[in-house]
Structures are given as C-alpha cells and as structure tokens.
Amino acid sequence: QVQLVESGGGLVQAGGSLRLSCAASGRTFSNYAVGWFRQAPGKEREYVAAITPSGGTTDYADSQKGRFTISRDNVKNTVYLQTSSLKPEDTAVYSCAAKRYYISRNQYDYADWGQGTQVTVSS
C-alpha cells in the first residue's frame, strides 16, 4: 500500500498555471505507476494523465495534451502535474492514484488514492 498526499492546488485566473504535487510514502514508490484524475462538481471522475514507475513513459487524456505535463522524482517520492493555459472547465478536485507497474486510464485499476487538491480557474 502507498499513502499519497496531493498539494499545490488553488485559485488561478484563466490562462494561468499551477504545479500539483503528489507525495508518496509506504512501499517502494519506484514500483508504482501514478495517475492523475479529476472530478468537477456534478460530473464523473475523469482521467488526466499517468506515468510509469521509471518515468520513461507518460500518457495524457486528449483534452490535456500540450497543456499538462506529468513527471516524477523517485528520490523525492513525488509525482508532479504541471498545468498551463488553464481554462475554467479545468476547475475540479485533482487526485493522484497509484498502482503497481503499468499505467492505466481506468480509475478502477488504481488501488491507492490521495485525498485530492482543489483547482479553481476563474474566467
């Protein structure tokens, strides 16, 4: 099991950027793929991006390609989501999740979740 804590959310104007962090503790973090998901009020949770345990492969939902960048530092046991060109429709609670080895776009494949961090984009 991996414990995850997100941070870095906040209020930002449209066009701005935020860097979200997902700090992990527990089992060997470098064995875990990490995904970012988000959930807006009244909407289902949706996939944002994911990164393999080594950081060598990343994947993005189509709506985030070119605007968001996922990365990780296995020495610091932290995964980052750098967001840019934010839009009001990016407003949501952003959560990170971990699973062993392989990335997935399916939230139900992830066993361990953080509590989430709120991102609010004003127009």
Side-chain angles (χ1 to χ4, degrees):
Q1 188 176 3
V2 176
Q3 291 77 45
L4 304 170
V5 178
E6 302 93 336
S7 61
L11 174 64
V12 63
Q13 288 188 331
S17 61
L18 286 172
R19 188 176 80 157
L20 308 183
S21 298
C22 172
S25 61
R27 292 186 178 271
T28 306
F29 183 59
S30 57
N31 288 339
Y32 286 79
V34 173
W36 281 97
F37 295 81
R38 68 185 185 184
Q39 188 167 21
K43 294 189 177 181
E44 305 233 337
R45 181 184 286 166
E46 66 173 354
Y47 171 75
V48 174
I51 190 166
T52 52
S54 69
T57 300
T58 58
D59 181 65
Y60 299 91
D62 289 343
S63 60
Q64 280 84 48
K65 281 183 182 176
R67 298 193 302 126
F68 292 4
T69 302
I70 190 170
S71 62
R72 68 189 293 160
D73 183 336
N74 282 344
V75 173
K76 295 182 178 179
N77 284 356
T78 302
V79 170
Y80 304 98
L81 184 69
Q82 179 68 52
T83 68
S84 63
S85 302
L86 286 166
K87 308 172 184 178
E89 51 264 42
D90 292 318
T91 295
V93 174
Y94 285 70
S95 300
C96 61
K99 66 180 295 295
R100 290 180 72 88
Y101 307 128
Y102 306 110
I103 62 175
S104 171
R105 293 187 171 199
N106 186 342
Q107 59 178 304
Y108 298 107
D109 289 337
Y110 290 83
D112 301 310
W113 289 81
Q115 83 290 349
T117 185
Q118 176 71 47
V119 171
T120 303
V121 184
S122 63
S123 57

